[in-house]
Each structure stands twice: as C-alpha cells, then as structure tokens.
Amino acid sequence: MIKKIFLLQTLICFFVSIAYGGISDGWEKQSMYQLHPAYLCVEDIDGDGDFDVLTTTDYHPGEYNSEVAWFRNNGGGAAWDKILINAHDPMEDTVKNANGITAGDIDNDGRIDVAVATLAGTIYWYKAPVDASSGIWQRFQIEEDAGNSFAEILLFDFNNDGFQDIIAGGYKRAVIFLNPGNPDSVNATWEKHSLADGTGVYINLDDINGDGNTDILSSNALSGSIEYIDVAYDNASFVFKRNAIDSVSGTFDSFCLDITGDGKKDVIATNISVPTVFWYEAPSDSNGTWTKHVLAENIAGMDLSTGDINADGIPDIVVSSFPMTGGTALSKISWLEGSMINGRMNFTEHIIDDTVKGPGDNSLNDFDGDGDLDLVVTGSTENEVYFYENKLFEPVIEMCSFFALPRRSKVTLLWVTKNENKNKGFNIYRSETIDGTYVKINNELIKAKGSSAKGALYTFDDEQVKRNITYYYKLQVYGQKMLYGPKLAAPRGILF
C-alpha cells in the first residue's frame, strides 16, 4: 500500500491517497451496455420503489445520432433491462448529440417525464406514457439554438407556479425555460430567460449564500470560471447577480458542501487540465473573497457526487478521474472518505475501480434498498454504464426481539440484539397497510451500540402519527436488504 499525504496551507484539511489495483474490496461491479454513454440521471421511472438509471449517448466530434434510454432496476443482482425512450436510428426521428438528461414530473400528471439537452443547441422533453416500459414517449421540442451548445440540464420551479421549469448549462451561457403550464399542448411556448455570457456549462442548484433562496452554482470548462448566481424572480422577470469564486483553466464539475462545519456552503470543483480537486472556503460575508484550497491531487476530475458512503455522519465525495492531457493522473473512480480529526476535515482517497477507461457522469443512490449508498458511473469510452453495489459493510446481526408499542400520540419501537458484527446502525420504515409502501421515518441512522461479543437495547419514538390509526413498522440493519417485521400498533389503541 502506498500513501501520500498532502498538508494544506491552512491546515484545515489534509488528504491521503491510497492506491489499489482493479476493483477494490467492498464494491461489486455490474455492467449495462450502452454505446457511447454521455450523461446519466437517477429516478424511479416505473414507480416500483427502486431507483432506475437514465442515459444519453453521444460521440465527439461531429454529428451523432443519439439514444435516450432508461435501465430498469430489477433488484437482487439481476440484469438491468434497457428500455428506449428515443432510438438512435435516424429512421425513427433521432436526436442529434444528446448530452444532459434529467427527470421529473414536468406536466403534473403524476408520472416521471424526461428532459434532454443537446450539443446541437436543442432542448426536448419526453412525456411519460402510462406504462414507461412499453408505451411511447411523446417528444416535445422546447428550444433550438444552433448558437449555444447545451450540456447539463436540471428541473426546478423558479417562478413558484407549481410547475417544473428547466435550466440548461450552455457553452455560451446558461438558460432558464419557464414551464407554460400546458407543456404537452401543441402551441405551448416556454418563456426563455438567458443568463450572462460565460455562465454554465455545468450547473448545480443550492442555497449558497444562506438567504433561503436557491442559487445557481456555475462552472465553465471553456473559460475556467466558477461562480454562483443569486436568482430573484419578481413581477414576471428575473434578476441575476453574478458572484465570482475563481477562474481556473479546465474547471469542470462543482458542488456545494460545508467542509469547515461553520454552516456555510463551501464549493468543491474538479479540473480536467490540472489533475487536482479544489475546494473554496466560503467567506464570512457574501461580498468577501473565497479562499482556495487543494482537496485532492492526481485526480483529473470529471464529475463528482457527495453522500455519506460509510454511514459515519460525515459526507464523502465520489470523483470520476478521466485524464485527457497526459500527466500522472490515472483513469479511475475514487471515493474520498470524509472524517473529522481535532476539528479538521480530512479526506482519504479509496480507489473503487481503476480499470474503467474514461469514467464520466456518476450518481450516489441506494439502488438495492439496503440503506447504504451505491454508485452508478458512465464508462464513456467503453460503451458501458457501470453499477457498483456498496458492500463495504455487511453486518451479521442476531436479533432477539422487535416490538411496536402504542403510546399516547406516539408509537415506541423497541428491539434487542444478542450480538452485532460490523453493524453501523438501523433504519425504521413505516406503512399504513401491511402490503403498502414502507417509508423510512428516521432522519439519521440510529447508531449501533452492540458488538460481536454483546447485543444492545434500542428504542425509537415515532411521534408523527395519528390516534387510532394502525401503523406497520419494519426494522432494517444498515447494509442489509432484509427487513424485520412487520410489527403493528395504533396510538392509544391495543398492541396487536
């Protein structure tokens, strides 16, 4: 094992790189064939409770007949079914050079629709059929602008009218399209609002300045700029205020994360020219200067995601490294484990897979329903989309009992373990019918107290209940697909 330690100048953060070879222990890899995958997004398309994966395809340079598809999550390690939304066959009215993809209920009919941005400067949305697996996805064109190639695309209700609007990052500028409220009408017109030149190409949405409103985080690989745009919408018009963070050639993806623990949103940015992941410390006031730090080196960062991979309560980071300019950086997928030591945020690199050539877009989600975060990544030069099941923690628990006890205006869940090996904690799920959908009700993981040598007693109070209604509960051990239960109880009623 080779370790390299890089101390930051401010000593707020240090980074450790751990080198492996191949696919590291703790991750199980599965492939989904997709020719030249470009972007992906994750959503439960078929409403079965499992996250599915949507992708676009593209091939640079030149004009390319793209494909838009979704992969159905069948669970249990089964193969993913590929289902076409828009075929790449030019005889079937293909799209050209599809890029960003996003999903949500665009027409408010209760089904998950899809929106796609293209390098050809076109924006489409696809109306979901009643059966997303076999029905026809009706395509609507929102924009055609040959002067602006689009990359990232997101949904957000900017004008608070109850309909999802679209924001697309462009190589010239980012653009917002306001949903007309009748988007599937033949005469529907999406109102276009362009941001300043140089905004985009890659965008994220977050309340960066802490004013309670959603801002646009923008990074532009062409200009190198990183900035956030304060968005105000009033009297049917937008006001955009640009706030510079930095300008570094090769800047790619960016994301918000409170690294210093001061309650302010710091910014992480990857770079494809300089094999370094940077982070920018938020100033004490909105007009201050952002302080630049090195988060990780030898990572030619493309896309990144954040989430608590090891369930320790501290966010981690996944980065796809795709070196395009030579140098020492490897083509690899890494997760940067976050930890706090003496009040300092630390990141340790763990390579998930260094066999993928050209890893790109990625997303962290619990795909298999075991409580932990799995990973999906495009292999842009390998004609594959890769799914990595998180097997870092595979606990072995001996359970003694699990009860649901009705109280006045609440239900107390009580369970006892005999021993707990490699246990991180528990989740509680609730439904109002025994065969219904069970929804997790604890905001944070209920931390384990036992060990391989002894068990423990646990209690959890569910106070978000109504009197005399029967509720059904299931208990999940973090990292296990199996759920204990169901147990049922009615507040101020009788234990069944």
Side-chain angles (χ1 to χ4, degrees):
M1 182 174 65
I2 302 173
K3 289 188 177 181
K4 298 178 182 178
I5 300 178
F6 306 95
L7 291 176
L8 299 187
Q9 293 179 351
T10 60
L11 294 181
I12 293 177
C13 167
F14 71 80
F15 170 74
V16 182
S17 177
I18 301 178
Y20 299 95
I23 303 170
S24 70
D25 292 338
W27 297 90
E28 187 172 291
K29 183 178 179 180
Q30 191 177 20
S31 299
M32 296 172 263
Y33 177 78
Q34 177 69 300
L35 186 66
H36 305 308
Y39 278 76
L40 62 79
C41 75
V42 173
E43 186 57 82
D44 181 9
I45 295 296
D46 54 3
D48 64 353
D50 296 322
F51 284 116
D52 307 302
V53 178
L54 300 102
T55 64
T56 57
T57 66
D58 193 18
Y59 190 72
H60 306 312
E63 186 176 278
Y64 181 76
N65 294 322
S66 296
E67 181 177 270
V68 182
W70 69 279
F71 290 85
R72 181 169 53 206
N73 181 358
N74 292 309
W80 298 63
D81 295 327
K82 179 179 176 179
I83 299 163
L84 291 179
I85 295 174
N86 203 145
H88 64 83
D89 185 346
M91 300 300 293
E92 298 187 25
D93 193 19
T94 187
V95 299
K96 304 292 185 182
N97 300 101
N99 231 15
I101 185 169
T102 189
D105 187 2
I106 293 174
D107 56 359
N108 284 2
D109 67 351
R111 294 190 287 270
I112 301 298
D113 309 303
V114 174
V116 170
T118 78
L119 282 176
T122 309
I123 304 289
Y124 300 103
W125 81 275
Y126 295 85
K127 181 179 175 65
V130 174
D131 186 339
S133 300
S134 61
I136 296 175
W137 293 73
Q138 187 178 3
R139 190 178 80 191
F140 297 87
Q141 182 171 308
I142 297 173
E143 167 75 342
E144 183 174 9
D145 181 5
N148 191 17
S149 297
F150 292 114
E152 197 106 45
I153 185 171
L154 300 171
L155 297 177
F156 183 74
D157 184 6
F158 284 96
N159 58 355
N160 296 312
D161 66 350
F163 285 88
Q164 294 294 302
D165 307 310
I166 288 175
I167 178 170
Y171 281 78
K172 283 193 174 181
R173 67 190 70 87
V175 181
I176 291 175
F177 300 92
L178 292 183
N179 192 325
N182 59 339
D184 54 355
S185 171
V186 174
N187 299 318
T189 300
W190 293 64
E191 189 177 298
K192 179 179 178 180
H193 296 264
S194 296
L195 280 72
D197 286 359
T199 54
V201 174
Y202 307 99
I203 50 177
N204 272 298
L205 302 175
D206 208 327
D207 180 10
I208 299 172
N209 56 8
D211 65 355
N213 298 318
T214 298
D215 308 305
I216 302 168
L217 179 61
S218 163
S219 50
N220 192 318
L222 299 180
S223 67
S225 68
I226 310 171
E227 62 184 307
Y228 80 90
I229 298 100
D230 194 348
V231 181
Y233 184 83
D234 190 33
N235 293 324
S237 64
F238 280 100
V239 176
F240 302 113
K241 180 184 177 183
R242 302 176 72 176
N243 301 271
I245 296 176
D246 196 9
S247 181
V248 183
S249 178
T251 295
F252 206 84
D253 201 8
S254 57
F255 212 88
C256 293
L257 182 66
D258 181 9
I259 292 179
T260 59
D262 61 358
K264 295 183 175 64
K265 296 291 178 65
D266 306 304
V267 170
I268 307 165
T270 61
N271 195 292
I272 57 174
S273 299
V274 182
T276 305
V277 179
F278 297 103
W279 75 276
Y280 297 88
E281 185 178 353
S284 57
D285 64 82
S286 59
N287 296 318
T289 300
W290 292 71
T291 305
K292 180 180 179 179
H293 307 278
V294 172
L295 183 84
E297 294 184 306
N298 289 322
I299 296 178
M302 291 279 283
D303 296 272
L304 60 86
S305 299
T306 62
D308 188 2
I309 292 174
N310 57 353
D312 63 355
I314 301 172
D316 310 302
I317 305 168
V318 168
V319 184
S320 300
S321 178
F322 185 3
M324 296 183 178
T325 57
T328 61
L330 299 174
S331 183
K332 60 185 177 179
I333 304 164
S334 300
W335 74 282
L336 311 180
E337 179 183 2
S339 62
M340 294 294 295
I341 300 177
N342 298 325
R344 296 180 298 172
M345 176 71 83
N346 308 275
F347 289 94
T348 301
E349 181 188 11
H350 303 275
I351 296 177
I352 297 173
D353 189 356
D354 60 7
T355 67
V356 177
K357 302 299 187 294
D361 206 3
N362 61 60
S363 183
L364 282 168
N365 304 86
D366 181 11
F367 287 96
D368 54 3
D370 63 356
D372 58 26
L373 292 177
D374 311 300
L375 177 66
V376 63
V377 184
T378 60
S380 55
T381 64
E382 295 193 333
N383 300 331
E384 299 282 358
V385 176
Y386 295 108
F387 166 63
Y388 297 87
E389 183 179 353
N390 185 346
K391 290 182 173 289
L392 293 170
F393 304 98
E394 294 191 292
V396 178
I397 307 293
E398 189 171 353
M399 190 74 65
C400 292
S401 57
F402 173 43
F403 300 101
L405 307 175
R407 308 293 190 191
R408 183 179 295 273
S409 299
K410 69 178 181 180
V411 173
T412 296
L413 288 306
L414 182 149
W415 64 100
V416 180
T417 62
K418 186 175 181 179
N419 54 63
E420 306 173 20
N421 188 26
K422 298 183 180 180
N423 186 24
K424 298 289 289 186
F426 301 88
N427 291 311
I428 299 289
Y429 291 79
R430 184 186 68 199
S431 174
E432 292 189 16
T433 60
I434 191 169
D435 296 322
T437 299
Y438 286 78
V439 178
K440 186 165 73 74
I441 60 174
N442 52 300
N443 293 326
E444 297 180 353
L445 187 69
I446 302 167
K447 297 295 185 181
K449 298 186 293 185
S451 67
S452 59
K454 66 176 183 178
L457 168 68
Y458 299 86
T459 61
F460 178 87
D461 287 332
D462 180 14
E463 298 179 345
Q464 303 301 314
V465 294
K466 297 179 181 179
R467 298 178 185 177
N468 300 318
I469 293 179
T470 300
Y471 295 94
Y472 298 81
Y473 295 90
K474 291 186 178 183
L475 176 69
Q476 179 194 52
V477 178
Y478 178 86
Q480 286 187 353
K481 299 181 181 68
M482 182 181 69
L483 300 177
Y484 296 91
K487 299 294 182 179
L488 54 149
R492 292 194 66 178
I494 301 173
L495 177 64
F496 290 85

